């Protein structure tokens, strides 16, 4: 009987067998393909994973030459541009480049001005001078490194060379060989730390016009560690020099650089006009780096300090104008100084009469020529001994007036606001104790903070009262919830609105609209507690 499909049964079975084998083989191939595809993708995933985890260059199969970021181009800011290497400079951290710097500055002066580029590298040098109409440009990764002053050790050698360390006496000759001695500052008398001459700064200028120190955040490093050690061990016979000092000059600009490890004050403009400092980082160890003030405008007029970060072993900024009778006779005030957009940390272990001495921003104590028209705006002071401070004493003479602090933040300080009138440190016995300073018109507005032990300590005395103090919008969180944290003595002034902590009784109270609430019971009341 024929099959319904028209084929004999055995023929149909053979055909079905062939189709079954073909279908099974195709299925087998499909499964193997899928498995291989799965293994391939897992392998790719693991390869990419371990490539990212192993290193930035990846596994060897993906490695390529490291990406090199091209150096930032140095702008031409003057009509003539020179490179330090043109004058034989070598930035290997070993060769002393003082001669290269001196030749370059001489050439710039010969052309009536110019720009000196300091390329990436470590440029060891002794002190050198700048000239007028000059831009000193520090490229990214460039370091101007002050030649190290070494503490002497005993040696049997009888010859001297800069590479030979001999006895302490001979090393003092080594110091003076590289750091020339200069006359004391005329407004400081016989010297700040020692009577007589003082060491010069690493970078110096006198009677200049139109000078700029800038760059792509290059560094000027004074290698001050040895200076600090010698100062503590009383091995120095002269006052230490600043890192950068410009004197009797106009139109000075310092920007976009880092100053670090200064032997003494970092930047000291003395009797200068039109000084602009911006985008500068200033660093020194917070401990064991004595007197490493950040910026000290001294008898200067028209100064702007903005957008800086300062972390040093003494005052972040200290505004000065001469010391006792020498400052009175020199008669150059510091005036029209604007400080804004700063972050400051100030710390010092030095203690005098059980008081820690550093502050974020200070005025004085050398203020005998007068200080006026100073404004602080948007300044953050953290982990410091003091926040803002005015310090003076009988014998200083002069005045501190028209001072405003606005939008100042304190974070983890011992004392926030300090005015101290008995800072009795004098250059010699020739000062006049009847030369009394005047302190008046000092405004604190929008003062905030946290973790402050004593927010306010204003210590006038009978002979030197503090007048015209104003507080508005103040709220400072306390480290300890104790009384006597707003301390006053011989203070006259006003409080507007509600402030925290509660103000001392020396001040008149006004509401937010300026209406008198209550008069002070006594401007002479004294509530100063240095034990707290």
């Amino acid at each position: 009987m024929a099959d319904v499909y028209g084929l004999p049964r055995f023929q149909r079975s053979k055909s079905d067998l062939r189709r079954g084998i073909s279908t099974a083989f195709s299925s087998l191939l499909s499964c193997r393909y899928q498995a291989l595809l799965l293994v391939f993708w897992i392998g790719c995933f693991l390869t990419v994973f371990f490539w990212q985890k192993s290193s930035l260059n990846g596994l060897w199969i993906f490695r390529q030459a490291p990406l090199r970021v091209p150096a930032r181009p140095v702008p031409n800011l003057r009509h003539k541009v020179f490179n330090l290497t043109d004058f034989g400079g070598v930035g290997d951290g070993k060769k002393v480049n003082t001669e290269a710097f001196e030749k370059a500055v001489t050439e710039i002066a010969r052309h009536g001005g110019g720009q000196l580029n300091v390329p990436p590298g470590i440029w060891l040098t002794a002190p050198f001078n700048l000239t007028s109409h000059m831009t000193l440009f520090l490229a990214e990764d460039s370091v101007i490194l002050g030649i190290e002053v070494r503490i002497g050790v005993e040696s049997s050698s009888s010859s001297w060379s800069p590479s030979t360390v001999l006895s302490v006496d001979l090393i003092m000759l080594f110091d003076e060989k590289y750091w020339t001695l200069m006359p004391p500052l005329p407004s400081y008398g016989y010297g700040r730390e020692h009577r007589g001459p003082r060491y010069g700064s690493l970078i110096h200028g006198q009677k200049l016009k139109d000078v700029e120190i800038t760059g792509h955040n290059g560094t000027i490093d004074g290698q001050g560690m040895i200076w600090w050690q010698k100062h503590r061990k009383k091995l120095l016979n002269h006052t230490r020099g600043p890192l950068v000092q410009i004197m009797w000059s106009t139109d000075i600009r310092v920007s976009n650089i880092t100053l670090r490890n200064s032997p003494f004050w970092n930047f000291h403009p003395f009797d200068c006009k039109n000084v602009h400092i911006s985008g500068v980082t200033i660093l020194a160890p917070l401990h064991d780096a004595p007197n490493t003030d950040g910026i000290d405008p001294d008898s200067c007029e028209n100064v702007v300090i903005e957008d800086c970060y300062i972390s040093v072993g003494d005052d972040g900024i200290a505004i000065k104008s001469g010391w006792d009778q020498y400052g009175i006779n020199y008669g150059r005030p510091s005036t029209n100084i604007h400080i804004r957009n700063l972050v400051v940390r100030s710390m010092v272990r030095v203690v005098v009469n059980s008081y820690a001495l550093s502050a974020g921003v200070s005025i004085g104590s050398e203020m005998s020529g007068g200080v006026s028209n100073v404004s602080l705006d948007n300044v953050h002071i953290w982990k410091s001994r003091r926040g803002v401070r005015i310090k003076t004493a009988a014998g200083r003479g002069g005045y501190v007036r028209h001072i405003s602090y606005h939008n100042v933040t304190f974070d983890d300080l011992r004392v926030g606001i300090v005015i101290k009138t008995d800072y009795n440190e004098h250059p010699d016995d020739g000062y006049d104790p009847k030369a009394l300073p005047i302190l008046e018109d000092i405004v604190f507005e929008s003062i905030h903070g946290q973790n402050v032990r004593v927010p306010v300590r204003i210590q006038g005395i009978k002979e030197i009262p503090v007048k015209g103090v104003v507080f508005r919008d103040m709220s400072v969180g306390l480290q300890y919830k104790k009384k006597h944290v707003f301390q006053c003595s011989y203070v006259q002034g006003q409080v507007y609105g509600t402030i925290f902590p509660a103000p001392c009784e020396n001040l008149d109270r006004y509401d937010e609209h300026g209406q008198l609430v209550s008069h002070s019971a006594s401007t002479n009341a004294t509530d100063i507690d240095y034990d707290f």
Side-chain angles (χ1 to χ4, degrees):
M1 175 176 165
D3 189 81
V4 292
Y5 293 102
L7 293 172
R9 181 179 299 276
F10 75 93
Q11 290 180 337
R12 179 166 57 84
S13 298
K14 187 183 290 186
S15 177
D16 290 343
L17 180 61
R18 284 197 299 268
R19 277 199 301 271
I21 292 172
S22 176
T23 301
F25 186 70
S26 298
S27 299
L28 180 61
L29 289 176
S30 177
C31 290
R32 291 186 64 188
Y33 173 76
Q34 291 177 0
L36 289 172
L37 186 62
L38 179 62
V39 169
F40 173 77
W41 282 113
I42 291 174
C44 289
F45 171 78
L46 291 175
T47 300
V48 172
F49 175 79
F50 285 111
W51 166 62
Q52 291 179 336
K53 191 175 174 107
S54 61
S55 69
L56 292 175
N57 289 329
L59 298 176
W60 66 271
I61 57 174
F62 293 104
R63 283 180 186 164
Q64 57 184 356
L67 181 63
R68 295 186 179 276
V69 178
R72 295 172 65 183
V74 175
N76 294 337
L77 306 176
R78 301 282 183 174
H79 67 286
K80 295 289 291 185
V81 179
F82 304 93
N83 290 316
L84 188 59
T85 52
D86 299 338
F87 302 91
V90 178
D92 61 358
K94 299 178 181 178
K95 180 180 177 179
V96 178
N97 293 280
T98 313
E99 184 177 358
F101 277 108
E102 291 174 344
K103 288 181 177 179
V105 173
T106 298
E107 187 67 10
I108 289 172
R110 190 175 72 84
H111 284 86
Q115 175 173 325
L116 176 59
N117 294 332
V118 181
I122 300 176
W123 307 88
L124 190 65
T125 182
F128 64 92
N129 294 322
L130 304 178
T131 190
S132 291
H133 309 294
M134 174 181 177
T135 295
L136 178 64
F137 194 98
L138 281 71
E140 189 174 11
D141 297 324
S142 67
V143 179
I144 296 178
L145 188 65
I147 192 168
E148 191 173 35
V149 177
R150 302 182 186 276
I151 291 180
V153 296
E154 294 300 325
S155 171
S156 59
S157 173
S158 59
S159 61
W160 181 89
S161 71
S163 61
T164 303
V165 179
L166 303 177
S167 68
V168 172
D169 291 337
L170 289 178
I171 287 304
M172 294 309 296
L173 296 176
F174 177 89
D175 293 350
E176 296 184 12
K177 176 181 176 64
Y178 285 102
W179 264 263
T180 56
L181 293 176
M182 304 180 64
L185 293 170
S187 60
Y188 285 77
Y190 295 105
R192 186 61 185 83
E193 293 182 312
H194 297 275
R195 294 175 68 89
R198 59 193 175 93
Y199 290 112
S201 56
L202 179 63
I203 298 178
H204 190 80
Q206 292 187 187
K207 299 179 180 179
L208 304 181
K209 182 176 177 60
D210 180 25
V211 174
E212 182 174 24
I213 304 174
T214 187
H216 289 152
N217 201 31
T219 297
I220 302 173
D221 189 328
Q223 292 208 93
M225 291 72 73
I226 302 299
W227 288 98
W228 308 331
Q229 292 175 24
K230 296 185 77 168
H231 172 72
R232 286 195 300 270
K233 294 179 179 180
K234 303 186 184 303
L235 296 176
L236 294 172
N237 296 322
H238 308 285
T239 300
R240 291 167 289 160
L243 186 60
V244 180
Q245 184 177 59
I246 309 293
M247 305 174 63
W248 303 303
S249 301
T250 60
D251 301 327
I252 308 301
R253 301 174 300 282
V254 180
S255 64
N256 303 323
I257 61 170
T258 295
L259 305 177
R260 67 186 308 150
N261 297 326
S262 174
F264 195 52
W265 304 337
N266 276 270
F267 179 45
H268 182 220
F270 178 82
D271 199 354
C272 293
K273 293 182 179 180
N274 306 331
V275 180
H276 193 168
I277 305 161
S278 65
V280 174
T281 300
I282 303 179
L283 304 173
L286 295 173
H287 304 293
D288 301 323
N291 309 111
T292 50
D293 295 7
I295 303 170
D296 285 9
D298 199 339
S299 295
C300 288
E301 181 178 350
N302 302 333
V303 178
V304 174
I305 304 171
E306 60 183 352
D307 304 320
C308 296
Y309 178 84
I310 303 173
S311 179
V312 291
D314 209 324
D315 295 336
I317 295 174
I319 302 171
K320 304 174 181 291
S321 65
W323 200 10
D324 286 1
Q325 70 271 28
Y326 303 105
I328 294 172
N329 293 334
Y330 191 71
R332 301 284 198 282
S334 280
T335 186
N336 298 334
I337 297 177
H338 305 286
I339 301 168
R340 55 186 179 236
N341 305 330
L342 263 62
V343 177
V344 181
R345 189 178 184 191
S346 163
M347 189 66 69
V348 65
R349 280 182 177 169
V350 177
V351 174
V352 174
N353 296 330
S354 74
Y355 312 140
L357 301 181
S358 69
V361 179
S362 285
I363 297 176
S365 72
E366 307 95 324
M367 40 61 64
S368 301
V371 177
S372 66
N373 298 330
V374 176
S375 67
L376 272 77
D377 189 15
N378 193 28
V379 175
H380 183 96
I381 303 170
W382 67 292
K383 286 188 179 299
S384 301
R385 300 280 186 174
R386 305 289 190 264
V388 296
R389 176 179 61 175
I390 299 171
K391 50 183 180 175
T392 185
R396 291 289 192 271
Y399 54 83
V400 176
R401 59 166 64 110
H402 311 320
I403 314 295
S404 68
Y405 302 88
H406 180 264
N407 194 22
V408 179
T409 302
F410 301 140
D411 185 1
D412 194 8
L413 309 184
R414 293 196 176 187
V415 185
I417 295 168
V418 178
I419 300 179
K420 185 174 176 61
T421 57
D422 61 350
Y423 200 87
N424 291 311
E425 185 182 9
H426 304 281
D428 52 45
D429 294 334
Y431 72 95
D432 179 6
K434 296 181 180 179
L436 302 177
I438 298 171
L439 280 68
E440 60 186 6
D441 187 16
I442 303 168
V443 177
F444 301 93
E445 185 173 9
S446 297
I447 310 296
H448 301 96
Q450 61 181 355
N451 202 29
V452 178
R453 187 176 299 181
V454 178
V456 178
R457 179 178 287 151
I458 302 177
Q459 182 192 10
I461 59 177
K462 182 177 180 180
E463 297 78 12
I464 312 173
V466 183
K467 299 181 179 180
V469 176
V470 175
F471 285 91
R472 287 191 183 93
D473 181 22
M474 175 175 173
S475 178
V476 177
L478 302 178
Q479 193 175 94
Y480 305 109
K481 293 182 179 179
K482 293 187 177 183
K483 297 181 180 180
H484 309 299
V485 294
F486 199 119
Q487 302 179 6
C488 298
S489 172
Y490 287 92
V491 178
Q492 177 272 322
Q494 301 86 37
V495 173
Y496 290 88
T498 301
I499 68 172
F500 183 85
C504 60
E505 64 183 41
N506 305 62
L507 305 175
D508 298 333
R509 311 286 184 91
Y510 291 79
D511 63 20
E512 292 84 351
H513 306 290
Q515 299 297 316
L516 178 65
V517 175
S518 63
H519 276 297
S520 163
S522 173
T523 60
N524 298 336
T526 298
D527 186 15
I528 302 294
D529 182 4
Y530 280 107
D531 293 331
F532 176 51

